[in-house]
Amino acid sequence: MRSLERLIQLEKPGMVIMTDYGVDSRGTIDGWKQLVKPLVRYQVPFTVIFRESRKESETRRSEISEYLQGIPYYIDDPSTVPVLSATDSTAKWQLYFFDGYAYPTAMKSDATNDVKRAHIDWYRRKREGQRGDGRYECPAVAFLYPHVDEDTGTRDTSYSELIEAFLEEGDVVGAFVDYDDGAIRTYEDRICIVPTGKENEVQGARIIGIYEDERRLGTQVRTLSGALDSYAFEPSLAKCDYPIANGTFIQNALVRDWDDARWQQEFETLAAAGMRYLVFAPLLHEDKEGKTTAPYPSDIPGVSQRNEHDVVDACLRNAELAGFKVFLGLNFNEHWWASNMDPEWLYGQMAIGNRVASELYEKYGRKYPGACYGWYWVWEVANVEVFAHADGQRMLANALNVNLDYLNERYPEMPFMLAPYMNYRIGNASDYAKMWKNVFSMTHFKSGDIFGPQDCVGAGGLGMEHVQEWFAALGEAVKSKPGLRFWSDAETFEQEFWTSATLDRFVRQMKLVTPYVSGIISFAYSHYYSPLRGDDSFHQAYMHYVSTGRLPITEELPPVADVRITQLEGVIQLTWAPPKERDLISGYHIYRNGVRIGNIQFRKHGDAQAQFSDDVGDGRALYEIATYNTVGRESIRVPCR
């Protein structure tokens, strides 16, 4: 009882779930009278999952249940309990309690509440009835007892069939199973199975944390002396109908002049596209000349404010209103790109990052607690020579730990994310995965932190044909660090031309990584697809994909006309007449001897130039011009020699 009361004080739970093992001896009702006192005193809603023990207590569960029904905050008949939003009555999660004795007659069994066929049928009917309301898409947590044969110790088939039903319906993220054996494990990376009982052995409680607008949970056994077996789980995207990005990066150059109205417009756009995360980075930047700037009023010596107003405050203020979660990027120094990296310099940079984090939290963390969600480590690690060997990997791990140790101690609820880079031309997937596995073994990532590599398609580090191999290898490395979440940073641009990637490529990038990751964040929707930057055709086509799982089917595109070629002082000049139906196209592709050498894209209809210069070609080459649209459809190529 003292442990229960102290744990309630420490954890301040929204609900307590108890089994009837709390009192399993003579004087049962008197025992329960004592046991519920802390729950009533601290006004904690609670329920009880009854289970018959082999040696029944002297008081039948019906008598216990009758007594508890008169206790304030007791939730009776808890077959399904919704968990509501922090701000309104919207159901965000559901809790399923597979207690045969607490359910309607159709679910009751004769002797125990072990998983039975009736439970499975009830669950499927429940899901069918939810299809018409907003709770159908809610993630869920289930609590159950599998039947275990006393002679063989094996579970009966109903337990496995219930897990299969969870997989088919897709809502249950975690199942907390009494009398299950072994460690926490997953089914198809979509459901985690958490055995309960250890908390009873150590006189503690299993803490379950669920997150609003996120399909993930965290759990640990909490005792008065500390936490045991911390674990975080986020389901893989592998079996989802179609992947969508759950957030975007954003940078100061884009947002420095935005007022509140413009911020709200952007958040409305991102929310409509299914996003809920924003990464704002970097928030302290030192250039090659040593000038250090920040988009907020920093008190760190030598840092000047980059903008007239506080952009970080504007971002977080509006993110809080819009319900977005923001990763705050720490510091970055352009000397990172030097190949002769000095460890002491690097550790000093990490110490600066700690000062930035502390300052940001003091200025904004308490002011905008809903929006200040996590930290982003801005430094882009690649498979370069300096990290190919043990010394470099140890240096990298030490640098990460300078930040991780500081942040974990002070802000343990805020996840830490990094997004490394990779280049198939200078290494291979296997070696890069081994490098990270070794780094993970030395770093102090906590459960819930995020490893989200760039897919490198936009910048050219990987071709589409490489993505699966590299993400499969990195996914195995991530599994060596329990609780570390694996995301993808999907690039939305073509660095060769600094244009927006067509959506067919972006969607394919996301589909290639879904067997391995549990989340996808874009770099960067706001910069390349936002309708508020001009042409809204990219956003509208993506919205069609978000709604239907398919990009829109577009009509045949009109070609250009009257292509002309001139040559002056070794420079080839191409000109053409745009098609009359200009609103159907997003730009022009230019080819030389079948190889694309140019991409002229316009953000507003009609503002793209209809000309192209080639200073490395010659008059004997075959040039072709084609129009294209947002989903990657291309017109016929119009030739010119």
Side-chain angles (χ1 to χ4, degrees), residues 4 39 43 51 62 126 197 240 271-272 285 315 333 339 366 380 387 417 473 509 528 530 596-597 599 602 640:
L4 174 62
L39 300 163
Q43 302 179 4
R51 186 185 191 279
S62 59
K126 191 78 173 176
C240 68
H285 178 264
C315 172
N333 189 314
S339 58
R366 296 179 181 87
E380 294 187 19
F387 300 128
M417 180 168 70
Q509 288 167 239
Y528 292 100
S530 173
R596 191 173 60 141
I597 60 170
N599 182 353
F602 40 89
C640 181

Side-chain angles (χ1 to χ4, degrees), residues 342-352 394-396 398-399 402:
D342 175 65
E344 295 308 314
W345 173 85
L346 182 59
Y347 303 154
Q349 291 297 312
M350 300 303 105
I352 294 172
R394 190 175 302 108
M395 176 182 67
L396 176 59
N398 291 340
V402 172

Side-chain angles (χ1 to χ4, degrees), residues 324-390:
F324 267 68
K325 305 175 189 299
V326 181
F327 288 89
L328 297 170
L330 301 178
N331 61 312
F332 184 71
N333 189 314
E334 292 294 334
H335 288 288
W336 165 260
W337 304 117
S339 58
N340 56 340
M341 195 175 299
D342 175 65
E344 295 308 314
W345 173 85
L346 182 59
Y347 303 154
Q349 291 297 312
M350 300 303 105
I352 294 172
N354 290 341
R355 294 187 65 180
V356 173
S358 178
E359 182 173 69
L360 290 170
Y361 193 84
E362 288 300 315
K363 287 180 179 291
Y364 312 111
R366 296 179 181 87
K367 192 176 181 182
Y368 307 115
C372 288
Y373 176 74
W375 307 108
Y376 177 68
W377 199 70
V378 186
W379 311 83
E380 294 187 19
V381 178
N383 54 324
V384 293
E385 180 65 22
V386 68
F387 300 128
H389 307 290

Side-chain angles (χ1 to χ4, degrees), residues 28-87:
T28 304
I29 296 300
D30 289 338
W32 275 101
K33 287 179 180 178
Q34 298 300 315
L35 197 57
V36 299
K37 282 182 178 179
L39 300 163
V40 175
R41 182 180 302 120
Y42 293 99
Q43 302 179 4
V44 182
F46 73 100
T47 193
V48 178
I49 309 177
F50 287 111
R51 186 185 191 279
E52 291 288 349
S53 62
R54 296 179 189 175
K55 185 178 180 180
E56 287 191 20
S57 58
E58 65 177 23
T59 307
R60 302 289 299 178
R61 74 175 63 220
S62 59
E63 296 177 58
I64 301 172
S65 181
E66 183 179 353
Y67 165 73
L68 291 174
Q69 287 171 14
I71 302 300
Y73 311 109
Y74 175 62
I75 300 174
D76 189 24
D77 192 14
S79 56
T80 308
V81 175
V83 182
L84 306 183
S85 167
T87 56

